[in-house]
Amino acid sequence: MNKKLTGLGLALLAQLSLPAQAAITSPIAFVTQVPIPQDFCTINATFCNHQASIDISGRGGDLWIRYPDGTLKNLTAAAGYGQNGLQGNQAIQVRDPAVHWNGKKIIFSMVIGAPQHYQVKTYRWQLYEITGLSKNDTPVIAKVANQPSNYNNINPTYGTDGRIIFVSDQPRNGQAHLYPQLDEYEEAPSNTGLWSLNPNTGNQVMLTHAPSGDFNPFIDSYGRVIFTRWDHLQQDQQAAGDRNGEHYGTFNYSSEAANAKILNSRKEVFPEPLTFDTISLAGTNLHGHSFNHFFPWQAHEDGSELELVNHIGRHELGGSFVDAVFTDDPVLTYLTNPSNPNKISNFFQIKQDPTNPNYFIGINAPEFGTHASGQIVRLTNVAPTHNADEMKVDYLTDKSTSSIVGDNETPLPENSGHYRDPTILSDGTLLAAHTFETRQDRNEGTNSPDYADTYPQARYAFRIRTLKQLPNGTWAADQPLTNGISKNITYYSPDTLIHYTSELWELQPVEVKARPKPAKLLPTLGTPEMQVLQEEGVSEASLRQYLKSKRLALAVMRNVTQRDHSDKQQPFNLAVAGSGTQTATNNGKIYEVAHFQAFQADQIRGLTGCCSSTPKAGRRVLAQPLHSVNANPPLSASAPKGSVKIANDGSVAMLLPTRRALSWQLTDPQGKFVVRERNWLSMQPGEIRTCPACHGINTKDQIGQPTPTNKPEALRELLTYLKANGSL
């Protein structure tokens, strides 16, 4: 019979000799949590998981460490945090441990305090650091200095330069009336992206602006910040045209200002209407557009060079069926890439393999019902020297765990269960939080005869286990890390008394061990762009300084008529209007392009809900033609708003706002869109972002050509304009 842990007295403050079955040679830190069966906007959900109220985050969890001899220590309890029994002012919940490069301290997120009966209070996740991790040490916990105290700060990780990178829900521009940012899916509260903090000075920088959220950043051995981003750039499904006039209380504001007018409008201009919006699509030559993935992204530590890892995307990873954008062009086809037979819809909780840095592992899981648990998958050839065509997906655990059976059905037969939080240790051991359950989770509790309260008894029972490889090559759960950890917890939520005495969930294992710190990545400029600067007598340093002084970034594309060979969902036979530059196959219509039009993410979509005329707090972003920058050359009368002219060689150069999500499209001479970007990107002041083509080329374009190397004439024209106006 497994021994249980039931208190916060001396038995927990001391080292607990609980010999576990798994043989592991390094200390492993992990968290315990009271199970929360609900899986929407709760602590372990795929999105909207950053809030700290007790009903969605719970209380009573701890930060633990397991030493190689099987001994366990409750680190938070030993440092004087947390309480047993009824949760009150000293109650805690913990999440997201990350180990420092030297292996001697851990940063994590913690919320302190729990409401009493009928009490409604606001709580925030904050960042804390713990030292004294050795077996005979007394651990010490300190709150990270100078972090934003009025917002939720989660998913911290250590930078290479003493800064801390984390996820926060603080407003993009500090304007409290825009809080919370609402996601693009359900208008639920979202985090706003990645942030960087110097705890000594309080200097804080927004690294990425994510309209629907970024998650779980870490710095890989190549110096890249790797994280999961929710890519959901589509029109608002809450306001779509065939919702029987309900529109879920959505409306547009006239601007982002606090005193903006409420408009009698739900107008959206980018991208095309949703797949199911038959009213808006009627009479057009468009297939509807929907986009919903959690994919791997990368950036430098300063937030520059933001992109999907090695430019991988739906063409390589799959995960959705997307029809050709135009219905009247037979050479366009649905989005697919047969070169990678293993498809995934999402890639959560990414970690690098320390025994082979060319591998990432993570979880392919559905959006709902499993607490972001599912199938462990591996992404190969992730080193920066590879391109997306070379990256492949390997299924490590049962393929059938990538989908779930219904709420009331029996578990999947001959299935090893669901996994989350995978990590590979330095000796090659694979660990993960695991449950044998394969149905959707739900509360299966009953009323207690003693307390007349509710037991939040989840179907799922996450335990950290090692994995072993079976003879058929598939990996499956093996030995547990512990013999099970239980705790006597009671809390108000806030009207209902919750009483829990069973085993806690074990989640988020990390190896407590020193590891090499990579060199910090620095910005570089491509040779063709450097040649243009030299020929125009402009130094890279002076150009970057000008951009920083104006809080601008510069985007440069060499030839937008070239597109990657695998993308036939949007037009790929492209020609620059009025010039001889084109990239076209022998089949299909040739589309003229004349302008590059940028869109910025403005928080102007409001929400009242079904039963009130009073606007709810927060706003969703809508894509609007660029209007916050006026430093580009003047537009002609016929040009689309927020655009620049495509140069005769197919190149583009445009000054753009920073620390705000952006997207863009190519238009024909009449301003009608031809090719659209499908992701949000953001840039940093002083950044010069160069892209060889409009859809970056992995190995070849549609007619077999490699990445373009022309000196972009659009950059030359922009520099000439800036010099003439005294800006450079």
Side-chain angles (χ1 to χ4, degrees):
M1 181 176 178
N2 288 343
K3 183 176 179 180
K4 306 294 184 181
L5 305 180
T6 58
L8 276 179
L10 294 176
L12 290 184
L13 295 176
Q15 298 159 12
L16 297 175
S17 182
L18 289 175
Q21 300 177 41
I24 297 174
T25 58
S26 295
I28 304 296
F30 62 98
V31 304
T32 55
Q33 295 174 6
V34 173
I36 304 289
Q38 181 185 344
D39 191 33
F40 179 79
C41 278
T42 49
I43 183 172
N44 294 304
T46 56
F47 64 91
C48 186
N49 58 31
H50 61 281
Q51 300 174 97
S53 61
I54 195 166
D55 56 324
I56 60 178
S57 287
R59 296 295 186 270
D62 286 292
L63 178 65
W64 289 80
I65 191 167
R66 191 261 199 193
Y67 298 103
D69 64 359
T71 300
L72 288 172
K73 183 191 287 188
N74 185 330
L75 290 171
T76 40
Y81 285 77
Q83 59 188 137
N84 198 19
L86 181 63
Q87 302 294 286
N89 292 336
Q90 302 305 312
I92 63 170
Q93 183 64 293
V94 294
R95 58 183 292 174
D96 310 329
V99 180
H100 191 267
W101 307 102
N102 63 18
K104 296 181 179 180
K105 56 183 178 179
I106 294 173
I107 191 169
F108 63 102
S109 298
M110 181 164 64
V111 59
I112 300 177
Q116 298 308 296
H117 205 192
Y118 303 126
Q119 186 180 52
V120 177
K121 297 183 68 175
T122 299
Y123 299 94
R124 304 293 188 196
W125 288 103
Q126 295 283 278
L127 307 180
Y128 292 82
E129 199 170 49
I130 186 168
T131 55
L133 304 177
S134 296
K135 184 184 292 189
N136 297 320
D137 290 346
T138 299
V140 176
I141 293 176
K143 189 174 182 179
V144 172
N146 293 312
Q147 65 182 298
S149 60
N150 292 328
Y151 301 105
N152 292 291
N153 308 319
I154 61 171
N155 298 160
T157 194
Y158 290 103
T160 63
D161 54 2
R163 299 180 71 93
I164 293 168
I165 297 170
F166 62 103
V167 168
S168 181
D169 67 347
Q170 58 186 305
R172 175 191 61 80
N173 53 7
Q175 293 181 284
H177 67 275
L178 297 179
Y179 182 84
Q181 179 179 279
L182 305 178
D183 71 46
E184 299 166 281
Y185 183 41
E186 295 284 355
E187 264 105 334
S190 72
N191 71 65
T192 55
L194 303 185
W195 296 74
S196 175
L197 171 70
N198 183 330
N200 296 322
T201 65
N203 175 262
Q204 186 180 220
V205 174
M206 186 180 210
L207 300 183
T208 66
H209 179 212
S212 290
D214 290 337
F215 308 90
N216 302 113
F218 72 96
I219 297 179
D220 73 359
S221 63
Y222 306 108
R224 302 174 296 185
V225 180
I226 303 296
F227 56 98
T228 295
R229 163 166 282 202
W230 189 7
D231 297 312
H232 209 291
L233 176 50
Q234 65 176 39
Q235 290 198 16
D236 186 2
Q237 67 182 16
Q238 307 286 63
D242 60 349
R243 291 282 185 167
N244 299 318
E246 295 177 2
H247 302 300
Y248 295 91
T250 55
F251 62 89
N252 289 359
Y253 284 99
S254 59
S255 72
E256 288 188 334
N259 61 351
K261 294 180 180 179
I262 294 177
L263 305 177
N264 185 25
S265 170
R266 298 177 186 86
K267 182 180 179 181
E268 296 186 58
V269 296
F270 181 91
E272 57 268 42
L274 284 156
T275 304
F276 60 78
D277 189 354
T278 56
I279 292 178
S280 299
L281 291 171
T284 72
N285 66 336
L286 299 175
H287 279 123
H289 170 71
S290 61
F291 192 14
N292 186 26
H293 292 290
F294 294 80
F295 275 172
W297 282 71
Q298 66 183 39
H300 287 189
E301 285 185 75
D302 64 357
S304 64
E305 300 296 325
L306 174 66
E307 67 170 331
L308 286 144
V309 170
N310 295 350
H311 206 73
I312 199 168
R314 290 183 297 176
H315 305 87
E316 297 83 17
L317 295 177
S320 67
F321 181 93
V322 181
D323 279 312
V325 62
F326 296 125
T327 61
D328 55 359
D329 188 344
V331 304
L332 302 183
T333 184
Y334 57 86
L335 188 66
T336 184
N337 184 353
S339 65
N340 192 351
N342 295 338
K343 305 298 184 184
I344 59 175
S345 297
N346 303 306
F347 198 42
F348 298 110
Q349 305 138 36
I350 307 169
K351 297 286 182 64
Q352 188 174 28
D353 183 348
T355 68
N356 188 337
N358 207 24
Y359 292 163
F360 288 156
I361 62 168
I363 298 296
N364 180 29
E367 282 181 63
F368 303 110
T370 72
H371 309 286
S373 69
Q375 178 187 28
I376 301 179
V377 297
R378 177 171 60 200
L379 189 59
T380 68
N381 293 328
V382 301
T385 53
H386 292 285
N387 64 63
D389 281 347
E390 300 170 304
M391 300 169 70
K392 305 297 179 185
V393 174
D394 296 329
Y395 294 153
L396 297 190
T397 58
D398 314 78
K399 182 178 179 180
S400 55
T401 59
S402 62
S403 61
I404 58 175
V405 297
D407 182 61
N408 295 311
E409 297 179 36
T410 57
L412 294 171
E414 299 179 2
N415 185 276
S416 65
H418 284 330
Y419 302 82
R420 58 164 290 148
D421 304 320
T423 187
I424 298 178
L425 307 183
S426 55
D427 64 0
T429 300
L430 176 57
L431 285 180
H434 168 263
T435 177
F436 289 105
E437 183 61 71
T438 56
R439 294 171 294 176
Q440 293 186 17
D441 199 8
R442 71 176 188 183
N443 188 348
E444 294 195 326
T446 58
N447 288 336
S448 162
D450 298 323
Y451 292 89
D453 57 14
T454 300
Y455 283 69
Q457 186 62 53
R459 286 173 167 175
Y460 281 38
F462 286 113
R463 295 279 302 282
I464 298 172
R465 298 177 183 271
T466 59
L467 276 73
K468 64 180 179 182
Q469 193 168 23
L470 304 178
N472 65 1
T474 300
W475 291 79
D478 191 23
Q479 303 300 325
L481 187 75
T482 77
N483 286 340
I485 299 175
S486 296
K487 196 173 179 180
N488 185 4
I489 296 294
T490 305
Y491 60 84
Y492 288 102
S493 181
D495 299 341
T496 303
L497 183 65
I498 304 295
H499 188 203
Y500 190 84
T501 58
S502 299
E503 286 186 353
L504 304 177
W505 281 352
E506 301 170 3
L507 301 166
Q508 301 175 338
V510 290
E511 185 175 24
V512 184
K513 185 175 183 178
R515 64 195 192 282
K517 183 168 63 175
K520 187 174 183 178
L521 296 175
L522 300 175
T524 59
L525 197 58
T527 299
E529 290 73 27
M530 281 298 302
Q531 289 175 332
V532 172
L533 262 63
Q534 291 168 358
E535 292 170 5
E536 294 301 314
V538 176
S539 71
E540 179 183 351
S542 64
L543 177 56
R544 290 188 185 275
Q545 182 54 45
Y546 162 74
L547 296 172
K548 286 182 180 179
S549 70
K550 302 294 184 181
R551 300 182 63 82
L552 296 173
L554 170 60
V556 181
M557 280 138 279
R558 295 175 192 163
N559 187 350
V560 297
T561 70
Q562 291 187 243
R563 294 180 61 76
D564 185 70
H565 69 96
S566 64
D567 186 358
K568 293 180 170 62
Q569 188 260 343
Q570 296 199 75
F572 52 86
N573 292 316
L574 304 176
V576 178
S579 79
T581 300
Q582 71 174 34
T583 304
T585 67
N586 294 324
N587 298 311
K589 173 184 175 182
I590 295 179
Y591 296 77
E592 284 195 333
V593 293
H595 296 96
F596 178 91
Q597 184 181 23
F599 293 85
Q600 62 183 62
D602 285 355
Q603 280 184 257
I604 59 171
R605 171 54 52 84
L607 190 69
T608 61
C610 64
C611 307
S612 172
S613 60
T614 302
K616 293 183 177 181
R619 303 183 190 180
R620 178 199 194 270
V621 305
L622 293 183
Q624 299 292 290
L626 180 67
H627 58 84
S628 60
V629 170
N630 57 8
N632 289 294
L635 297 171
S636 65
S638 61
K641 182 180 180 180
S643 70
V644 293
K645 184 177 181 296
I646 299 172
N648 287 337
D649 64 346
S651 64
V652 169
M654 189 175 194
L655 299 174
L656 294 167
T658 55
R659 297 173 184 157
R660 182 195 289 269
L662 305 166
S663 197
W664 45 78
Q665 65 184 17
L666 304 182
T667 77
D668 65 13
Q670 289 72 46
K672 182 180 179 181
F673 91 89
V674 177
V675 176
R676 282 176 161 160
E677 174 62 59
R678 296 306 193 190
N679 298 94
W680 290 112
L681 293 171
S682 56
M683 301 180 187
Q684 292 295 315
E687 181 175 358
I688 305 174
R689 186 65 185 273
T690 60
C691 302
C694 188
H695 180 145
I697 296 170
N698 295 328
T699 53
K700 59 184 178 181
D701 69 7
Q702 303 283 359
I703 60 174
Q705 297 180 129
T707 296
T709 59
N710 58 294
K711 293 185 288 187
E713 288 305 307
L715 175 59
R716 191 184 308 277
E717 294 169 7
L718 178 62
L719 295 175
T720 300
Y721 170 78
L722 293 176
K723 288 189 294 183
N725 285 275
S727 300
L728 291 177

Short mmCIF file of all heavy atoms in Angstrom, two decimals, residues 602-633:
data_model
loop_
_atom_site.label_atom_id
_atom_site.label_comp_id
_atom_site.label_asym_id
_atom_site.label_seq_id
_atom_site.Cartn_x
_atom_site.Cartn_y
_atom_site.Cartn_z
N ASP A 602 -5.54 46.51 -33.43
CA ASP A 602 -6.13 47.52 -32.55
C ASP A 602 -7.16 46.84 -31.63
O ASP A 602 -8.02 46.09 -32.12
CB ASP A 602 -6.83 48.60 -33.37
CG ASP A 602 -5.87 49.56 -34.02
OD1 ASP A 602 -4.65 49.46 -33.76
OD2 ASP A 602 -6.33 50.42 -34.81
N GLN A 603 -7.11 47.16 -30.35
CA GLN A 603 -8.08 46.61 -29.40
C GLN A 603 -9.34 47.48 -29.44
O GLN A 603 -9.53 48.38 -28.62
CB GLN A 603 -7.50 46.56 -27.99
CG GLN A 603 -6.59 45.36 -27.78
CD GLN A 603 -6.09 45.28 -26.36
OE1 GLN A 603 -4.95 45.62 -26.09
NE2 GLN A 603 -6.93 44.83 -25.44
N ILE A 604 -10.21 47.16 -30.40
CA ILE A 604 -11.42 47.97 -30.61
C ILE A 604 -12.69 47.13 -30.65
O ILE A 604 -13.77 47.68 -30.86
CB ILE A 604 -11.32 48.80 -31.90
CG1 ILE A 604 -11.13 47.90 -33.12
CG2 ILE A 604 -10.19 49.82 -31.80
CD1 ILE A 604 -11.24 48.65 -34.44
N ARG A 605 -12.59 45.82 -30.46
CA ARG A 605 -13.80 45.00 -30.40
C ARG A 605 -14.24 44.87 -28.95
O ARG A 605 -13.49 44.36 -28.09
CB ARG A 605 -13.53 43.62 -31.02
CG ARG A 605 -14.60 42.54 -30.85
CD ARG A 605 -15.98 42.92 -31.32
NE ARG A 605 -16.09 43.45 -32.66
CZ ARG A 605 -16.19 42.73 -33.77
NH1 ARG A 605 -16.17 41.42 -33.70
NH2 ARG A 605 -16.31 43.32 -34.95
N GLY A 606 -15.45 45.36 -28.67
CA GLY A 606 -16.01 45.30 -27.33
C GLY A 606 -17.05 44.21 -27.21
O GLY A 606 -17.47 43.59 -28.19
N LEU A 607 -17.51 44.00 -25.98
CA LEU A 607 -18.41 42.90 -25.69
C LEU A 607 -19.33 43.30 -24.54
O LEU A 607 -18.88 43.81 -23.51
CB LEU A 607 -17.59 41.67 -25.30
CG LEU A 607 -18.30 40.33 -25.18
CD1 LEU A 607 -18.76 39.84 -26.55
CD2 LEU A 607 -17.34 39.30 -24.57
N THR A 608 -20.63 43.08 -24.74
CA THR A 608 -21.57 43.31 -23.64
C THR A 608 -22.12 42.01 -23.10
O THR A 608 -22.53 41.93 -21.95
CB THR A 608 -22.75 44.18 -24.08
OG1 THR A 608 -23.46 43.51 -25.13
CG2 THR A 608 -22.27 45.53 -24.56
N GLY A 609 -22.16 40.97 -23.90
CA GLY A 609 -22.81 39.73 -23.49
C GLY A 609 -24.29 39.77 -23.87
O GLY A 609 -24.79 40.72 -24.48
N CYS A 610 -25.00 38.74 -23.46
CA CYS A 610 -26.37 38.56 -23.95
C CYS A 610 -27.41 39.37 -23.18
O CYS A 610 -28.50 39.62 -23.69
CB CYS A 610 -26.74 37.08 -23.90
SG CYS A 610 -26.78 36.40 -22.23
N CYS A 611 -27.10 39.74 -21.97
CA CYS A 611 -28.17 40.25 -21.09
C CYS A 611 -27.90 41.64 -20.54
O CYS A 611 -28.48 42.03 -19.51
CB CYS A 611 -28.38 39.28 -19.93
SG CYS A 611 -28.65 37.57 -20.45
N SER A 612 -27.01 42.40 -21.15
CA SER A 612 -26.68 43.71 -20.62
C SER A 612 -26.23 44.61 -21.75
O SER A 612 -25.70 44.15 -22.76
CB SER A 612 -25.58 43.60 -19.56
OG SER A 612 -25.13 44.88 -19.16
N SER A 613 -26.45 45.90 -21.56
CA SER A 613 -25.95 46.88 -22.53
C SER A 613 -24.67 47.54 -22.06
O SER A 613 -24.09 48.37 -22.78
CB SER A 613 -27.01 47.96 -22.78
OG SER A 613 -27.32 48.63 -21.55
N THR A 614 -24.22 47.17 -20.88
CA THR A 614 -22.99 47.75 -20.33
C THR A 614 -21.78 46.97 -20.83
O THR A 614 -21.73 45.75 -20.68
CB THR A 614 -23.01 47.72 -18.80
OG1 THR A 614 -24.16 48.42 -18.33
CG2 THR A 614 -21.75 48.33 -18.23
N PRO A 615 -20.80 47.63 -21.43
CA PRO A 615 -19.62 46.91 -21.93
C PRO A 615 -18.87 46.20 -20.82
O PRO A 615 -18.70 46.72 -19.72
CB PRO A 615 -18.77 48.03 -22.54
CG PRO A 615 -19.73 49.13 -22.85
CD PRO A 615 -20.77 49.06 -21.77
N LYS A 616 -18.44 44.99 -21.13
CA LYS A 616 -17.60 44.25 -20.21
C LYS A 616 -16.18 44.80 -20.26
O LYS A 616 -15.80 45.51 -21.20
CB LYS A 616 -17.59 42.77 -20.58
CG LYS A 616 -18.92 42.07 -20.39
CD LYS A 616 -18.79 40.59 -20.72
CE LYS A 616 -20.11 39.87 -20.47
NZ LYS A 616 -20.00 38.42 -20.77
N ALA A 617 -15.40 44.47 -19.25
CA ALA A 617 -14.00 44.90 -19.23
C ALA A 617 -13.23 44.20 -20.33
O ALA A 617 -13.46 43.03 -20.63
CB ALA A 617 -13.38 44.60 -17.87
N GLY A 618 -12.30 44.93 -20.93
CA GLY A 618 -11.41 44.34 -21.91
C GLY A 618 -11.90 44.47 -23.34
O GLY A 618 -13.07 44.77 -23.60
N ARG A 619 -10.95 44.24 -24.27
CA ARG A 619 -11.27 44.34 -25.69
C ARG A 619 -10.45 43.33 -26.48
O ARG A 619 -9.33 42.98 -26.11
CB ARG A 619 -10.95 45.74 -26.22
CG ARG A 619 -11.65 46.87 -25.49
CD ARG A 619 -11.33 48.21 -26.12
NE ARG A 619 -11.80 49.34 -25.30
CZ ARG A 619 -11.63 50.61 -25.62
NH1 ARG A 619 -11.01 50.92 -26.77
NH2 ARG A 619 -12.07 51.57 -24.83
N ARG A 620 -11.04 42.88 -27.57
CA ARG A 620 -10.37 41.99 -28.52
C ARG A 620 -9.71 42.84 -29.60
O ARG A 620 -10.17 43.94 -29.91
CB ARG A 620 -11.39 41.05 -29.15
CG ARG A 620 -10.86 40.08 -30.22
CD ARG A 620 -12.02 39.57 -31.06
NE ARG A 620 -11.70 38.43 -31.88
CZ ARG A 620 -11.24 38.47 -33.12
NH1 ARG A 620 -10.99 39.66 -33.69
NH2 ARG A 620 -11.03 37.37 -33.81
N VAL A 621 -8.66 42.32 -30.23
CA VAL A 621 -8.05 43.05 -31.33
C VAL A 621 -8.82 42.79 -32.61
O VAL A 621 -9.40 41.73 -32.81
CB VAL A 621 -6.56 42.66 -31.54
CG1 VAL A 621 -5.75 42.83 -30.26
CG2 VAL A 621 -6.42 41.25 -32.08
N LEU A 622 -8.82 43.79 -33.48
CA LEU A 622 -9.24 43.66 -34.86
C LEU A 622 -8.13 44.22 -35.73
O LEU A 622 -7.49 45.21 -35.39
CB LEU A 622 -10.53 44.44 -35.13
CG LEU A 622 -11.82 43.96 -34.46
CD1 LEU A 622 -12.99 44.84 -34.92
CD2 LEU A 622 -12.11 42.50 -34.74
N ALA A 623 -7.90 43.59 -36.87
CA ALA A 623 -6.90 44.08 -37.81
C ALA A 623 -7.42 45.32 -38.52
O ALA A 623 -8.50 45.30 -39.11
CB ALA A 623 -6.55 43.00 -38.81
N GLN A 624 -6.65 46.41 -38.45
CA GLN A 624 -7.01 47.66 -39.10
C GLN A 624 -5.85 48.12 -39.99
O GLN A 624 -4.68 47.92 -39.64
CB GLN A 624 -7.29 48.74 -38.05
CG GLN A 624 -8.44 48.41 -37.12
CD GLN A 624 -9.77 48.40 -37.83
OE1 GLN A 624 -10.30 49.44 -38.24
NE2 GLN A 624 -10.36 47.21 -38.01
N PRO A 625 -6.14 48.74 -41.13
CA PRO A 625 -5.05 49.25 -41.97
C PRO A 625 -4.11 50.13 -41.14
O PRO A 625 -4.56 50.92 -40.30
CB PRO A 625 -5.77 50.05 -43.05
CG PRO A 625 -7.11 49.40 -43.15
CD PRO A 625 -7.46 48.99 -41.74
N LEU A 626 -2.83 50.00 -41.38
CA LEU A 626 -1.82 50.73 -40.62
C LEU A 626 -2.14 52.23 -40.59
O LEU A 626 -2.36 52.85 -41.62
CB LEU A 626 -0.45 50.51 -41.25
CG LEU A 626 0.73 51.20 -40.57
CD1 LEU A 626 0.98 50.61 -39.20
CD2 LEU A 626 1.98 51.10 -41.44
N HIS A 627 -2.17 52.79 -39.35
CA HIS A 627 -2.46 54.21 -39.23
C HIS A 627 -1.62 54.90 -38.16
O HIS A 627 -1.72 56.11 -37.99
CB HIS A 627 -3.95 54.42 -38.91
CG HIS A 627 -4.40 53.73 -37.66
ND1 HIS A 627 -4.25 54.27 -36.40
CD2 HIS A 627 -4.99 52.52 -37.47
CE1 HIS A 627 -4.74 53.43 -35.50
NE2 HIS A 627 -5.20 52.37 -36.12
N SER A 628 -0.78 54.15 -37.45
CA SER A 628 -0.02 54.74 -36.35
C SER A 628 1.39 55.16 -36.76
O SER A 628 2.16 55.60 -35.92
CB SER A 628 0.06 53.75 -35.18
OG SER A 628 0.70 52.55 -35.58
N VAL A 629 1.73 55.05 -38.03
CA VAL A 629 3.04 55.45 -38.54
C VAL A 629 2.84 56.31 -39.78
O VAL A 629 2.09 55.93 -40.69
CB VAL A 629 3.91 54.22 -38.89
CG1 VAL A 629 5.17 54.65 -39.63
CG2 VAL A 629 4.28 53.45 -37.63
N ASN A 630 3.49 57.48 -39.81
CA ASN A 630 3.38 58.34 -41.00
C ASN A 630 4.75 58.70 -41.56
O ASN A 630 4.91 59.73 -42.19
CB ASN A 630 2.61 59.62 -40.66
CG ASN A 630 3.24 60.40 -39.52
OD1 ASN A 630 4.35 60.07 -39.07
ND2 ASN A 630 2.55 61.43 -39.05
N ALA A 631 5.75 57.82 -41.31
CA ALA A 631 7.11 58.11 -41.75
C ALA A 631 7.44 57.52 -43.11
O ALA A 631 8.52 57.76 -43.64
CB ALA A 631 8.10 57.58 -40.70
N ASN A 632 6.52 56.73 -43.69
CA ASN A 632 6.77 56.15 -45.00
C ASN A 632 6.53 57.18 -46.09
O ASN A 632 5.87 58.20 -45.87
CB ASN A 632 5.86 54.93 -45.21
CG ASN A 632 6.26 53.76 -44.34
OD1 ASN A 632 7.33 53.19 -44.52
ND2 ASN A 632 5.41 53.41 -43.38
N PRO A 633 7.05 56.94 -47.29
CA PRO A 633 6.79 57.87 -48.40
C PRO A 633 5.30 58.08 -48.61
O PRO A 633 4.50 57.16 -48.37
CB PRO A 633 7.44 57.17 -49.60
CG PRO A 633 8.50 56.31 -49.00
CD PRO A 633 7.96 55.85 -47.68
#
